[in-house]
Amino acid sequence: RELNGNIFELIDKTEKFFLENMKTAAWSKGFRTVHKTEYPIKALKEAVINALVHRDYYEREYIMIRMFDDRVEILSPGGLLSPLTVEQLDNLTYIPKSRNKTLVDALMRRKLMDKRGTGILRMNNFMEEWGLPHPTFKENLGYFVIKFIGPYQGTIIKIPEELNERQKKAIGYLKEKKGMTRKDYERLNNVSKRTAIRDLNSMIAKGILKTSGTTDDKKYLICA
């Protein structure tokens, strides 16, 4: 899918793209429903702004966004501007530099960027709030790559004691498969549709599972 427009339109379109393609968990809390996206949208938006502002516009390549089951990667043409290094970014010891100061000033006036050099710190903080690792950085084949590790990569899943044996068995299944349908649950536990729905809805209400997809192809996933 290709997104086009000016820099402000691209920021909005990319945010919409992420929200349309990320999994979202929902559970009840009191009298309201709480929603949580797979990744913090503010962290992804910050990375997109970083790519748009700091890319090398002399390169004819596009910014690329890759979404996988366990990670998101944002690739910006041009690599890091010397003398910046990946190690400095990881350690937050860098001195900010930009190829495109006019774009930086324009985005700061629109309050889409904060003080120069704070973007990585904010991404780290947003990921921490979600209980996810900090983003990682690397240079590869002329691109600067930011990788966000999702909730399914290296996540330790603790099985709550209050679950029944069928539900615990399903959690074990999900550790390996990363997703199951209602029919999978029925076959796994040799139970009726009614029992499967009751068990699965109970785990959703407890914030253990979330759903993805439409009614016809709904999958149950472990919440981060």
Side-chain angles (χ1 to χ4, degrees), residues 23 38-39 67-72 150-153 178:
K23 302 178 183 72
E38 191 174 7
Y39 299 86
M67 297 190 74
F68 301 90
D69 288 341
D70 59 355
R71 68 191 186 280
V72 172
Y152 296 122
Q153 192 174 90
K178 299 182 181 178

Side-chain angles (χ1 to χ4, degrees), residues 3 9 54-55 93 100 124 131 137 146 152 173 200-201 208:
L3 302 178
E9 292 169 343
H54 299 304
R55 65 155 294 167
T93 57
N100 309 297
N124 289 348
F137 312 99
I146 302 180
Y152 296 122
Y173 177 96
L200 291 165
N201 285 344
I208 298 166

Side-chain angles (χ1 to χ4, degrees), residues 108-171:
M108 288 182 70
R109 285 196 297 272
R110 290 282 192 98
K111 297 185 178 180
L112 289 168
M113 289 187 74
D114 205 335
K115 295 179 181 178
R116 296 183 187 183
T118 61
I120 291 175
L121 178 60
R122 289 200 302 277
M123 282 189 274
N124 289 348
N125 290 339
F126 293 141
M127 292 294 279
E128 285 179 9
E129 289 173 8
W130 247 243
L132 296 174
H134 291 173
T136 63
F137 312 99
K138 70 176 181 180
E139 291 185 278
N140 185 39
L141 300 176
Y143 283 86
F144 175 62
V145 184
I146 302 180
K147 180 169 74 172
F148 294 90
I149 297 173
Y152 296 122
Q153 192 174 90
T155 301
I156 298 173
I157 302 167
K158 183 178 179 181
I159 300 178
E161 291 297 326
E162 68 267 24
L163 297 184
N164 62 41
E165 292 305 313
R166 297 186 302 273
Q167 292 170 322
K168 291 178 181 178
K169 191 174 181 181
I171 295 294

Side-chain angles (χ1 to χ4, degrees), residues 30-86:
F31 293 102
R32 63 191 181 93
T33 301
V34 179
H35 295 86
K36 183 179 180 181
T37 53
E38 191 174 7
Y39 299 86
I41 189 63
K42 289 182 179 179
L44 299 179
K45 183 176 180 179
E46 190 73 44
V48 168
I49 290 173
N50 181 288
L52 288 166
V53 167
H54 299 304
R55 65 155 294 167
D56 186 347
Y57 281 94
Y58 287 104
E59 297 284 346
R60 298 180 65 86
E61 304 298 331
Y62 294 102
I63 292 171
M64 293 188 288
I65 296 172
R66 296 174 176 172
M67 297 190 74
F68 301 90
D69 288 341
D70 59 355
R71 68 191 186 280
V72 172
E73 295 178 352
I74 298 173
L75 295 81
S76 177
L80 286 172
L81 189 62
S82 180
L84 289 173
T85 67
V86 169

